[in-house]
Amino acid sequence: FQKTEAPRPPGAKDLHAYPWDKSSLKSMPVDLQQFKELDAYALEVNVKNSVEELVKALLKQARTDLEKVRAIWMWICHHIEYDVVGYHNKSQLSSKPRDVLQMGKSICEGYAELFEHMCSLAGIQCKKLLGHAKGHGYKTGQTFTGDSDHAWNAVYLEGRWHLLDSTWGSGSVDDSFTKFTYRYNEFYFLTHPALFINNHFPDNSNWQLLKPTLTLKEFENNMLHSSNFYMLGLLAAHPETPIIHTVNGKASVSVDCRSGTLFMFKLKGTDEQGLMTLKKHGMKLDVYPQKTGSHKLEIFAKPSKAEALDDVYKCVVEYVVECESVDKAMRFPKDLHQPVGPSWFSERQGFLRPSHREPVLHTNDGRCSLTFTLSKDISVLTSLHTDGSSLAEDMGRRHVLQTHRRSQVELKVHLPHAGNFVLKIYSKKKSDPGNYDYIFNYLIRCLNTEVKWPAFPQRYSKWLQDYEILEPLSGLLPANRNVRFKLKMHGVAKVLVQAENTYPLTQNKDCWEGTCNTSGCREVFVMVHENANHSFYSHVLKYEVETQ
């Protein structure tokens, strides 16, 4: 082994600009692909009798200083476990490198001392650093006092100092601090100092390797982003302070990312009291807590193209929402699904050019209409939902009327009463025999208590997608009246309206028109002869008639 000189203190050329420039997660260019063989080799090295022998074995495959550090890092992260018992009883604990190696476990101090010792044996300058960390047990917004509570390392490579934390690289401890799980984390190897400061504050501020350096107060007030935040390619979260106060019962959060990331959130453990919209480069979330006080808000993310099996939603950022007053009007129906409104996800499913890009539709007269261009050959299914029993499932379908004009679909909605409603949109490929898949939903709000629209007429299977009802749109007809019918239908030979008597409609271009009298009947049916030579006809629409 060569003798290493004493570590030199950090100077101007070691410093990185703060805040993070969003360039790289690491403080020097690292090609992980090139480490594949070295990593695999280091994992297999199984020497426990002495630190010297271990380093010798690891260096067999390592040429450059970077490779030497990588081999040592990989070995420690996969062979030393965090000592949860020792943590609670530090007097019995040795963090001497030889003891850590024999025991195969330690706390952060032991990881850092073993790392430093192995590097010095390999001829690489390395320093153990002490400081405060936002690690296990950290509470959003807390202050740090007294002695340091964590240890990590700086290594000198290619003329500059770099930071790493092998304790956090090796895995994690459960909430009760009784069980350690190996879970390798690449993020803490040569982490960019402007990101490392997010959760590591060294006692000696020169070891932040930043210009400007942060004060302890700034460190305490800064947002804690988990390593998942950066590993998933997320760039920023707003607000940048961990505690948010509601304004008129509402708090807003947004996350910026590179593209195509899926998000979810939990406010006090559920996703009910929020409106989250997915944007191409991130997400926006408004939450409306329904109780005053402090609420934990967690934001989760995962890549949209899940390649690996472990691509589950991972927590990326946490806030505390301080709610001073409640906006009762923003109680959302239980059926509301996150995200709300159209997004790149609904576009990918074939719903292009939405007429309404916002998640909420406000209607004063209880009616609204949305249009989309369908990019694929899909069938669409829609339903309207609200809390309480005012809308049974079949009626929920009948308060939305679909009309197709070539590749465009229009959804007309008539609300049965005032309140908050969810319009759910499902689709399937026309060629698929299977079920419809849920795609997205809107929140529809109406405050006008006068509103009371009846359902649209009931449509039967012979009513084709591109037929259109021009009148009457209401599924409830007045009693003892002459009612005008005007329907757009093609490919039929004859159309009849059956009330007490039967009334034929006449064809005028592509419309069938005529009148029918509703006296003496409870129901009115529209029927078609598909072929002039056939004697039977099919029901296509059914209307109810008001009782006197």
Side-chain angles (χ1 to χ4, degrees), residues 395-413:
M395 285 314 281
R397 297 228 170 100
R398 285 190 45 201
H399 276 273
V400 190
L401 180 66
Q402 267 187 60
T403 307
H404 290 254
R405 301 178 188 91
R406 290 199 291 284
S407 67
Q408 197 183 59
V409 61
E410 179 192 15
L411 305 177
K412 278 195 176 80
V413 181

Side-chain angles (χ1 to χ4, degrees), residues 266 330 408 411 510:
K266 289 202 162 149
M330 293 308 271
Q408 197 183 59
L411 305 177
D510 57 352

Side-chain angles (χ1 to χ4, degrees), residues 481-493:
R481 281 282 172 77
N482 285 330
V483 177
R484 269 189 59 72
F485 277 76
K486 187 172 182 185
L487 308 169
K488 245 186 193 173
M489 297 154 85
H490 57 81
V492 294

Side-chain angles (χ1 to χ4, degrees), residues 28-54:
M28 65 187 280
V30 171
D31 179 358
L32 296 178
Q33 286 308 61
Q34 287 190 344
F35 284 148
K36 269 214 151 107
E37 282 173 36
L38 178 64
D39 288 353
Y41 171 79
L43 294 195
E44 295 307 314
V45 169
N46 192 11
V47 177
K48 289 279 169 84
N49 52 351
S50 83
V51 183
E52 287 77 8
E53 291 301 315
L54 171 59

Side-chain angles (χ1 to χ4, degrees), residues 170-397:
S170 66
S172 58
V173 174
D174 66 342
D175 288 341
S176 60
F177 217 84
T178 50
K179 185 168 164 289
F180 169 81
T181 308
Y182 276 115
R183 191 181 293 113
Y184 175 69
N185 194 337
E186 179 60 48
F187 183 73
Y188 293 107
F189 180 68
L190 312 184
T191 316
H192 193 296
L195 300 179
F196 204 74
I197 193 66
N198 186 36
N199 43 21
H200 293 75
F201 190 84
D203 291 344
N204 174 346
S205 63
N206 290 336
W207 286 107
Q208 293 180 20
L209 306 185
L210 292 175
K211 62 169 198 288
T213 52
L214 275 74
T215 64
L216 181 60
K217 190 94 203 101
E218 289 173 307
F219 173 73
E220 288 169 348
N221 292 341
N222 271 354
M223 244 351 264
L224 175 62
H225 298 146
S226 73
S227 58
N228 295 325
F229 184 93
Y230 298 106
M231 297 299 266
L232 283 163
L234 308 187
L235 299 170
H238 310 279
E240 287 173 340
T241 49
I243 295 169
I244 314 174
H245 293 268
T246 57
V247 177
N248 302 328
K250 165 177 142 179
S252 300
V253 170
S254 64
V255 177
D256 304 337
C257 64
R258 290 201 160 87
S259 71
T261 308
L262 292 167
F263 290 90
M264 60 176 263
F265 73 93
K266 289 202 162 149
L267 180 69
K268 268 209 157 153
T270 84
D271 69 354
E272 281 162 20
Q273 268 320 114
L275 280 179
M276 182 179 82
T277 49
L278 276 190
K279 306 273 180 242
K280 197 177 192 127
H281 296 292
M283 73 89 157
K284 197 177 161 318
L285 168 65
D286 295 329
V287 291
Y288 301 86
Q290 293 297 297
K291 286 196 174 106
T292 54
S294 288
H295 304 268
K296 179 158 119 175
L297 172 62
E298 302 162 286
I299 311 287
F300 302 83
K302 75 169 184 184
S304 67
K305 296 183 175 67
E307 265 109 49
L309 287 174
D310 65 342
D311 280 338
V312 290
Y313 278 103
K314 294 184 180 144
C315 185
V316 290
V317 66
E318 262 184 41
Y319 290 94
V320 172
V321 177
E322 296 286 354
C323 178
E324 279 98 50
S325 67
V326 170
D327 183 352
K328 285 282 183 230
M330 293 308 271
R331 265 202 94 101
F332 299 134
K334 283 192 287 294
D335 277 303
L336 189 67
H337 265 288
Q338 308 294 339
V340 187
S343 65
W344 57 263
F345 178 79
S346 52
E347 239 172 59
R348 198 186 274 181
Q349 305 301 319
F351 291 83
L352 308 184
R353 294 193 275 289
S355 55
H356 295 73
R357 295 208 168 269
E358 290 304 307
V360 186
L361 280 93
H362 296 271
T363 162
N364 189 38
D365 70 356
R367 296 183 296 185
C368 54
S369 153
L370 304 91
T371 59
F372 305 93
T373 300
L374 300 181
S375 74
K376 304 176 174 170
D377 198 20
I378 52 180
S379 302
V380 178
L381 184 72
T382 52
S383 55
L384 192 67
H385 304 257
T386 187
D387 285 347
S389 55
S390 62
L391 267 185
E393 187 175 354
D394 54 330
M395 285 314 281
R397 297 228 170 100

